[in-house]
């Protein structure tokens, strides 16, 4: 079993996928999901932070870090099932620190690998705290950046 970070990194390093980093020219930042960082470290002995950043930077060379990050990052407020629960006011309140972090970077795109984090940042924090950002999953960023074999070849041959 491999996770999305390991799979994408393997595909990049083996040359199985190639991306065009010029597609994403806006300043981009990476959100560390609690589940892939602290929780994964505690449960499995391995947290994932550098991997997501490396993948993001393959697609987005104009990159800014949030501080603190990795194991010290601020939760977006949607963890622990909060996204699915009827506590929107509390969830948005607890996400205010994440919204401030994002604003401080000046980024126009946030990569959020976790679905709860993505939804919280995109559907709640960006509206409540007036963040002018685009939010993408890490796999979505890679898919949008792919160079497809034969895509530019008008001859029909591959």
């Amino acid at each position: 079993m491999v996770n999305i970070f390991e799979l994408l990194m393997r595909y990049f390093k083996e040359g199985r996928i190639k991306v065009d980093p010029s597609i994403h020219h806006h300043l981009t930042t990476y959100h560390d999901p609690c589940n892939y960082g602290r929780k994964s470290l505690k449960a499995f002995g391995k947290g994932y932070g550098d991997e997501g950043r490396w993948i993001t930077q393959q697609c987005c060379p104009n990159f800014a870090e949030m501080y603190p990050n990795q194991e010290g990052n601020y939760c977006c407020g949607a963890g622990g099932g909060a996204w699915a629960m009827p506590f929107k006011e509390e969830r948005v309140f607890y996400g205010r620190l994440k919204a401030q972090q994002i604003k401080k970077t000046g980024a126009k795109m946030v990569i959020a690998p976790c679905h709860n984090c993505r939804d919280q940042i995109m559907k709640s924090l960006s509206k409540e705290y007036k963040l002018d950002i685009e939010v993408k999953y890490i796999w979505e960023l890679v898919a949008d950046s792919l160079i497809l074999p034969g895509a530019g070849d008008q001859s029909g041959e591959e």
Side-chain angles (χ1 to χ4, degrees):
M1 181 167 66
V2 296
N3 63 41
I4 189 69
F5 303 109
E6 294 164 339
L7 182 68
L8 288 173
M9 286 184 72
R10 180 186 325 151
Y11 284 0
F12 270 107
K13 290 178 179 180
E14 291 174 353
R16 293 174 70 176
I17 58 176
K18 292 182 182 7
V19 295
D20 179 357
S22 70
I23 291 171
H24 301 289
H25 56 276
H26 295 297
L27 185 61
T28 301
T29 194
Y30 180 84
H31 166 68
D32 289 289
C34 299
N35 283 338
Y36 294 136
R38 290 186 291 263
K39 188 173 181 182
S40 182
L41 180 62
K42 185 175 181 180
F44 306 111
K46 169 78 173 126
Y48 295 90
D50 292 334
E51 296 82 355
R53 281 171 175 73
W54 185 87
I55 294 164
T56 299
Q57 290 175 23
Q58 301 311 297
C59 302
C60 303
N62 194 8
F63 183 81
E65 278 287 5
M66 285 190 255
Y67 294 100
N69 55 47
Q70 304 225 22
E71 290 86 20
N73 81 86
Y74 295 138
C75 179
C76 69
W83 177 254
M85 301 297 284
F87 304 114
K88 181 182 179 192
E89 288 179 16
E90 293 86 348
R91 178 171 44 78
V92 170
F93 176 77
Y94 292 123
R96 76 191 183 288
L97 294 175
K98 180 53 66 179
Q100 289 170 1
Q101 276 188 305
I102 293 168
K103 275 187 181 181
K104 283 182 184 177
T105 67
K108 293 297 181 189
M109 184 161 51
V110 177
I111 306 307
C114 168
H115 68 279
N116 285 338
C117 297
R118 176 197 170 263
D119 286 351
Q120 167 79 336
I121 295 168
M122 182 175 76
K123 297 177 182 178
S124 293
L125 300 183
S126 67
K127 291 180 177 120
E128 185 69 28
Y129 298 104
K130 306 207 180 346
L131 303 174
D132 182 23
I133 56 168
E134 182 177 8
V135 185
K136 291 185 182 234
Y137 294 117
I138 197 153
W139 59 263
E140 184 180 21
L141 172 68
V142 172
D144 289 348
S145 304
L146 282 176
I147 298 171
L148 300 175
D153 183 5
Q154 301 300 320
S155 70
E157 295 178 29
E158 291 189 30

